[in-house]
Coordinates of all heavy atoms in Angstrom, one line a residue:
M1 N 53.9 -19.1 -19.3 CA 53.3 -17.7 -19.6 C 54.2 -16.7 -19.0 O 54.6 -16.8 -17.8 CB 51.9 -17.6 -19.1 CG 51.3 -16.4 -19.4 SD 49.7 -16.1 -18.7 CE 48.7 -17.5 -19.4
N2 N 54.4 -15.7 -19.7 CA 55.3 -14.6 -19.4 C 54.5 -13.6 -18.5 O 53.7 -12.8 -19.1 CB 56.0 -13.9 -20.5 CG 56.9 -12.8 -20.0 OD1 57.3 -12.8 -18.9 ND2 57.1 -11.8 -20.9
T3 N 54.6 -13.5 -17.2 CA 53.7 -12.6 -16.4 C 54.5 -11.4 -15.9 O 55.7 -11.5 -15.8 CB 53.2 -13.4 -15.1 OG1 54.2 -13.8 -14.5 CG2 52.3 -14.6 -15.5
K4 N 53.8 -10.4 -15.8 CA 54.4 -9.1 -15.4 C 53.7 -8.6 -14.2 O 52.6 -8.9 -13.9 CB 54.3 -8.1 -16.7 CG 54.9 -8.6 -17.9 CD 54.7 -7.6 -18.9 CE 55.3 -8.0 -20.2 NZ 55.1 -7.0 -21.3
C5 N 54.4 -7.5 -13.6 CA 53.7 -6.8 -12.4 C 52.5 -6.1 -13.0 O 52.5 -5.7 -14.1 CB 54.8 -6.0 -11.8 SG 56.1 -6.7 -11.0
K6 N 51.7 -6.0 -12.0 CA 50.4 -5.3 -12.4 C 50.3 -3.9 -11.8 O 50.8 -3.7 -10.6 CB 49.1 -6.2 -12.1 CG 49.0 -6.5 -10.8 CD 47.8 -7.5 -10.4 CE 47.7 -8.0 -9.1 NZ 48.6 -9.2 -9.0
N7 N 49.9 -2.9 -12.6 CA 49.6 -1.6 -12.0 C 48.2 -1.4 -11.7 O 47.3 -1.4 -12.5 CB 49.9 -0.6 -13.1 CG 50.0 0.9 -12.7 OD1 49.2 1.2 -11.6 ND2 50.6 1.8 -13.3
H8 N 47.8 -1.3 -10.3 CA 46.5 -1.4 -9.9 C 45.8 -0.1 -10.2 O 44.6 0.0 -10.1 CB 46.5 -1.5 -8.4 CG 46.7 -2.9 -8.0 ND1 47.7 -3.4 -7.3 CD2 45.8 -4.0 -8.2 CE1 47.6 -4.8 -7.1 NE2 46.4 -5.1 -7.6
C9 N 46.6 1.0 -10.7 CA 46.0 2.1 -11.2 C 45.4 2.0 -12.7 O 44.7 3.0 -13.1 CB 46.9 3.4 -11.1 SG 47.5 3.7 -9.4
I10 N 45.7 1.1 -13.5 CA 45.3 1.0 -14.8 C 44.7 -0.4 -15.0 O 45.3 -1.5 -15.3 CB 46.6 1.1 -15.8 CG1 47.4 2.4 -15.4 CG2 46.0 1.2 -17.1 CD1 48.7 2.5 -16.3
E11 N 43.3 -0.5 -14.9 CA 42.6 -1.6 -15.2 C 42.6 -1.8 -16.7 O 42.3 -0.8 -17.4 CB 41.2 -1.7 -14.6 CG 41.1 -2.0 -13.1 CD 39.6 -2.1 -12.8 OE1 39.1 -3.3 -12.8 OE2 39.0 -1.1 -12.4
C12 N 42.7 -3.0 -17.2 CA 42.6 -3.3 -18.6 C 42.3 -4.7 -18.9 O 42.8 -5.7 -18.2 CB 43.9 -2.8 -19.3 SG 43.9 -3.2 -21.1
T13 N 41.5 -4.9 -20.0 CA 41.2 -6.3 -20.3 C 41.6 -6.8 -21.7 O 41.3 -7.8 -22.1 CB 39.5 -6.4 -20.3 OG1 39.1 -5.5 -21.3 CG2 38.9 -6.2 -18.9
V14 N 42.5 -6.0 -22.2 CA 43.0 -6.3 -23.5 C 44.2 -7.3 -23.4 O 45.3 -7.0 -23.4 CB 43.5 -5.0 -24.3 CG1 44.0 -5.3 -25.7 CG2 42.4 -3.9 -24.3
V15 N 43.8 -8.6 -23.2 CA 44.9 -9.5 -22.9 C 45.7 -9.7 -24.1 O 46.8 -10.4 -24.1 CB 44.3 -10.9 -22.5 CG1 43.7 -10.6 -21.2 CG2 43.2 -11.4 -23.4
S16 N 45.3 -9.4 -25.3 CA 46.2 -9.5 -26.6 C 47.3 -8.5 -26.6 O 48.0 -8.5 -27.6 CB 45.3 -9.4 -27.8 OG 44.7 -8.2 -27.9
C17 N 47.5 -7.7 -25.7 CA 48.4 -6.6 -25.6 C 49.6 -7.1 -24.9 O 49.5 -7.7 -23.8 CB 47.9 -5.3 -24.9 SG 49.1 -4.0 -24.7
A18 N 50.8 -6.8 -25.4 CA 52.1 -7.4 -24.7 C 52.4 -6.7 -23.4 O 53.0 -7.1 -22.7 CB 53.2 -7.1 -25.7
N19 N 51.7 -5.6 -23.2 CA 51.9 -4.9 -21.9 C 50.9 -5.3 -20.8 O 51.0 -4.8 -19.6 CB 51.7 -3.4 -22.1 CG 52.9 -3.0 -23.0 OD1 54.0 -3.2 -22.8 ND2 52.6 -1.9 -23.8
H20 N 49.9 -6.2 -21.1 CA 49.0 -6.8 -20.3 C 49.6 -7.7 -19.2 O 50.5 -8.4 -19.4 CB 47.8 -7.4 -20.9 CG 46.7 -7.6 -20.2 ND1 46.5 -8.7 -19.3 CD2 45.5 -6.9 -19.9 CE1 45.3 -8.6 -18.6 NE2 44.8 -7.5 -19.0
S21 N 49.3 -7.6 -17.9 CA 49.8 -8.3 -16.8 C 49.5 -9.8 -17.0 O 50.3 -10.7 -16.5 CB 49.3 -7.9 -15.4 OG 48.1 -8.4 -15.2
Q22 N 48.5 -10.1 -17.7 CA 48.2 -11.5 -18.1 C 47.5 -12.3 -16.9 O 46.5 -13.1 -17.1 CB 49.3 -12.4 -18.5 CG 50.0 -11.8 -19.8 CD 49.1 -11.7 -21.0 OE1 48.3 -12.6 -21.3 NE2 49.1 -10.6 -21.7
T23 N 47.9 -12.1 -15.7 CA 47.3 -12.8 -14.6 C 46.0 -12.3 -14.1 O 45.1 -13.0 -13.6 CB 48.3 -12.9 -13.4 OG1 48.7 -11.6 -13.0 CG2 49.5 -13.8 -13.8
E24 N 45.9 -10.9 -14.1 CA 44.7 -10.2 -13.8 C 44.5 -9.1 -14.8 O 45.4 -8.9 -15.7 CB 44.8 -9.7 -12.4 CG 44.9 -10.7 -11.2 CD 45.0 -10.2 -9.9 OE1 44.1 -9.5 -9.4 OE2 46.0 -10.5 -9.2
N25 N 43.2 -8.6 -14.7 CA 42.9 -7.5 -15.7 C 43.6 -6.2 -15.3 O 42.8 -5.1 -15.1 CB 41.4 -7.3 -15.8 CG 40.8 -8.5 -16.6 OD1 41.6 -9.2 -17.5 ND2 39.6 -8.9 -16.3
Y26 N 44.8 -6.0 -15.5 CA 45.6 -4.8 -15.2 C 46.7 -4.6 -16.2 O 47.1 -5.7 -16.7 CB 46.2 -4.8 -13.9 CG 45.2 -4.6 -12.7 CD1 44.8 -5.8 -12.0 CD2 44.6 -3.4 -12.3 CE1 43.8 -5.7 -10.9 CE2 43.7 -3.4 -11.5 CZ 43.3 -4.5 -10.7 OH 42.4 -4.3 -9.7
C27 N 47.0 -3.4 -16.5 CA 48.2 -3.1 -17.4 C 49.5 -3.2 -16.5 O 49.4 -3.1 -15.2 CB 48.0 -1.7 -18.0 SG 49.5 -1.2 -18.9
A28 N 50.6 -3.6 -17.1 CA 51.8 -3.7 -16.3 C 52.7 -2.4 -16.4 O 53.8 -2.4 -15.8 CB 52.6 -4.9 -16.9
L29 N 52.3 -1.5 -17.3 CA 53.0 -0.3 -17.5 C 53.0 0.7 -16.3 O 51.9 0.6 -15.6 CB 52.8 0.4 -18.7 CG 53.0 -0.3 -20.1 CD1 52.5 0.5 -21.2 CD2 54.5 -0.8 -20.3
D30 N 53.9 1.5 -16.1 CA 53.8 2.5 -15.0 C 52.9 3.6 -15.6 O 52.2 4.3 -14.6 CB 55.2 3.2 -14.9 CG 56.2 2.2 -14.2 OD1 55.6 1.3 -13.5 OD2 57.3 2.5 -14.3
K31 N 52.7 4.0 -16.8 CA 51.8 4.9 -17.2 C 51.6 4.6 -18.7 O 52.3 3.8 -19.4 CB 52.5 6.3 -17.3 CG 53.7 6.4 -18.2 CD 54.1 7.9 -18.1 CE 55.4 8.1 -19.0 NZ 55.8 9.5 -19.0
I32 N 50.4 5.0 -19.2 CA 50.0 4.8 -20.6 C 49.6 6.0 -21.3 O 49.4 7.0 -20.4 CB 48.7 3.8 -20.7 CG1 47.6 4.1 -19.8 CG2 49.2 2.4 -20.2 CD1 46.3 3.5 -20.0
N33 N 49.4 6.0 -22.6 CA 48.9 7.2 -23.2 C 47.7 6.9 -23.9 O 47.6 5.9 -24.6 CB 50.1 7.6 -24.2 CG 49.6 8.7 -25.2 OD1 49.0 8.6 -26.1 ND2 50.1 10.0 -24.8
I34 N 46.6 7.8 -23.7 CA 45.4 7.5 -24.3 C 45.1 8.6 -25.3 O 45.4 9.8 -25.1 CB 44.2 7.6 -23.2 CG1 44.5 6.5 -22.2 CG2 42.8 7.4 -23.9 CD1 44.4 5.1 -22.6
G35 N 44.6 8.2 -26.4 CA 44.4 9.2 -27.5 C 43.1 8.9 -28.2 O 42.3 8.1 -27.7
T36 N 42.7 9.6 -29.3 CA 41.6 9.3 -30.0 C 42.0 9.5 -31.6 O 42.9 10.1 -31.9 CB 40.5 10.5 -29.7 OG1 39.3 10.2 -30.5 CG2 41.0 11.9 -30.1
Q37 N 41.1 8.8 -32.3 CA 41.1 8.8 -33.8 C 40.2 9.7 -34.4 O 40.1 9.9 -35.6 CB 41.0 7.5 -34.4 CG 39.5 6.9 -34.4 CD 39.2 6.2 -33.0 OE1 39.7 6.4 -32.0 NE2 38.1 5.6 -33.1
E38 N 39.4 10.5 -33.4 CA 38.3 11.3 -34.0 C 38.9 12.8 -33.7 O 39.4 13.1 -32.8 CB 36.9 11.0 -33.2 CG 36.5 9.6 -33.1 CD 36.1 9.1 -34.4 OE1 35.8 9.9 -35.4 OE2 36.0 7.9 -34.6
S39 N 38.2 13.6 -34.6 CA 38.5 15.1 -34.4 C 37.6 15.7 -33.3 O 38.0 16.6 -32.6 CB 38.2 15.8 -35.7 OG 36.9 15.5 -36.2
H40 N 36.4 15.0 -33.0 CA 35.6 15.5 -31.9 C 35.0 14.2 -31.4 O 33.8 13.8 -31.5 CB 34.4 16.2 -32.5 CG 34.8 17.6 -33.1 ND1 35.3 18.6 -32.5 CD2 34.9 17.9 -34.5 CE1 35.7 19.6 -33.3 NE2 35.5 19.1 -34.6
P41 N 35.8 13.5 -30.3 CA 35.4 12.3 -29.8 C 34.0 12.6 -29.0 O 33.9 13.6 -28.1 CB 36.5 11.9 -28.9 CG 37.4 13.2 -28.7 CD 37.1 14.0 -29.9
T42 N 33.1 11.7 -29.1 CA 31.7 11.9 -28.3 C 31.3 10.5 -27.7 O 30.4 10.5 -27.0 CB 30.6 12.1 -29.4 OG1 30.7 11.1 -30.3 CG2 30.9 13.5 -30.1
D43 N 32.1 9.6 -27.6 CA 31.7 8.3 -27.1 C 33.0 7.5 -26.6 O 34.1 7.7 -27.1 CB 31.0 7.5 -28.2 CG 30.4 6.2 -27.7 OD1 29.3 6.2 -27.2 OD2 31.1 5.1 -27.6
V44 N 32.8 6.6 -25.8 CA 34.0 5.8 -25.2 C 34.8 5.1 -26.4 O 36.0 4.9 -26.3 CB 33.6 4.8 -24.1 CG1 32.7 3.7 -24.6 CG2 34.8 4.2 -23.4
R45 N 34.0 4.7 -27.4 CA 34.5 4.0 -28.6 C 35.5 4.8 -29.3 O 36.2 4.3 -30.2 CB 33.5 3.3 -29.4 CG 32.7 2.2 -28.7 CD 31.6 1.8 -29.5 NE 30.5 2.9 -29.6 CZ 29.2 2.8 -30.1 NH1 28.9 1.7 -30.8 NH2 28.4 3.9 -30.3
C46 N 35.5 6.2 -29.1 CA 36.4 7.0 -29.9 C 37.8 7.1 -29.2 O 38.6 7.7 -29.8 CB 35.8 8.4 -29.8 SG 34.1 8.7 -30.6
T47 N 38.0 6.4 -28.1 CA 39.3 6.6 -27.5 C 40.1 5.3 -27.6 O 39.6 4.3 -27.8 CB 39.1 6.8 -26.0 OG1 38.5 5.8 -25.4 CG2 38.3 8.2 -25.8
N48 N 41.4 5.5 -27.6 CA 42.4 4.4 -27.9 C 43.4 4.4 -26.9 O 43.9 5.5 -26.5 CB 43.0 4.5 -29.2 CG 42.0 4.5 -30.4 OD1 41.1 3.7 -30.5 ND2 42.0 5.5 -31.2
C49 N 44.0 3.2 -26.5 CA 45.3 3.0 -25.8 C 46.4 3.2 -26.8 O 46.6 2.2 -27.5 CB 45.4 1.8 -25.0 SG 46.9 1.8 -24.0
N50 N 47.0 4.2 -26.8 CA 48.3 4.4 -27.7 C 49.5 3.6 -27.3 O 50.5 3.4 -28.1 CB 48.7 5.9 -27.9 CG 47.6 6.6 -28.7 OD1 46.8 6.1 -29.6 ND2 47.5 7.8 -28.4
S51 N 49.4 3.0 -26.0 CA 50.5 2.3 -25.6 C 50.4 0.7 -25.9 O 51.2 -0.1 -25.5 CB 50.7 2.4 -24.1 OG 50.8 3.8 -23.7
F52 N 49.3 0.4 -26.5 CA 49.1 -1.0 -27.0 C 50.1 -1.4 -27.9 O 50.8 -0.8 -28.8 CB 47.7 -1.1 -27.7 CG 47.5 -2.4 -28.4 CD1 46.9 -3.4 -27.6 CD2 47.8 -2.6 -29.7 CE1 46.6 -4.6 -28.2 CE2 47.5 -3.9 -30.3 CZ 47.0 -4.9 -29.5
V53 N 50.6 -2.7 -27.6 CA 51.6 -3.4 -28.3 C 51.1 -4.8 -28.7 O 50.8 -5.6 -27.7 CB 53.0 -3.4 -27.7 CG1 53.9 -4.3 -28.5 CG2 53.5 -2.1 -27.5
P54 N 50.9 -5.2 -29.9 CA 50.3 -6.5 -30.1 C 51.4 -7.7 -29.6 O 52.5 -7.4 -29.7 CB 50.3 -6.6 -31.7 CG 51.1 -5.5 -32.2 CD 51.1 -4.4 -31.1
K55 N 50.6 -8.5 -29.0 CA 51.4 -9.7 -28.4 C 52.0 -10.6 -29.5 O 51.0 -10.9 -30.3 CB 50.7 -10.5 -27.4 CG 51.4 -11.3 -26.5 CD 50.5 -11.6 -25.3 CE 49.4 -12.5 -25.5 NZ 48.5 -12.9 -24.3
S56 N 53.1 -11.0 -29.5 CA 53.5 -11.8 -30.7 C 53.0 -13.3 -30.5 O 52.7 -13.7 -29.4 CB 55.2 -11.9 -30.6 OG 55.5 -12.4 -29.4
E57 N 52.7 -13.8 -31.6 CA 52.2 -15.2 -31.6 C 53.3 -16.2 -31.2 O 54.4 -16.2 -31.4 CB 51.6 -15.5 -33.0 CG 50.5 -14.5 -33.5 CD 49.2 -14.7 -32.8 OE1 48.9 -15.8 -32.2 OE2 48.5 -13.7 -32.5
G58 N 52.8 -17.3 -30.6 CA 53.5 -18.4 -30.3 C 54.2 -18.1 -29.0 O 55.0 -18.5 -28.3
Ligands
SF4_1 S1 49.2 -0.8 -22.8 FE1 47.1 -0.2 -23.0 S2 46.0 -1.9 -24.0 FE2 48.0 -2.6 -23.4 S3 47.7 -3.5 -21.4 FE3 48.3 -1.4 -21.0 S4 46.3 -0.2 -20.9 FE4 45.9 -2.2 -21.9

């Protein structure tokens, strides 16, 4: 498994992201960008991590 350093400032459980540390529930990036797909976000589900990169299969 390709493990990365974890950033304790960014907790994340999206293990299917290529930027996830894999060993614990943290992101490995120094910083991330968060955005929304809504014009007027009203709920946590309205927000997205724009730094997400799909992990390649295999
Ligand atoms: S880039 Fe976003 S989705 Fe991916 S591990 Fe980091 S915080 Fe999670």
Side-chain angles (χ1 to χ4, degrees):
M1 181 186 296
N2 182 26
T3 58
K4 300 177 180 182
C5 294
K6 50 183 178 280
N7 183 344
H8 282 110
C9 295
I10 308 174
E11 281 191 88
C12 181
T13 59
V14 186
V15 294
S16 61
C17 178
N19 294 320
H20 194 271
S21 74
Q22 301 302 318
T23 53
E24 294 178 60
N25 285 333
Y26 292 98
C27 181
L29 297 179
D30 291 336
K31 63 177 182 179
I32 57 172
N33 177 279
I34 304 297
T36 181
Q37 74 278 14
E38 307 290 343
S39 51
H40 299 288
T42 56
D43 186 88
V44 66
R45 290 171 295 182
C46 300
T47 62
N48 302 309
C49 179
N50 291 330
S51 301
F52 172 84
V53 175
K55 198 162 62 175
S56 58
E57 299 292 332

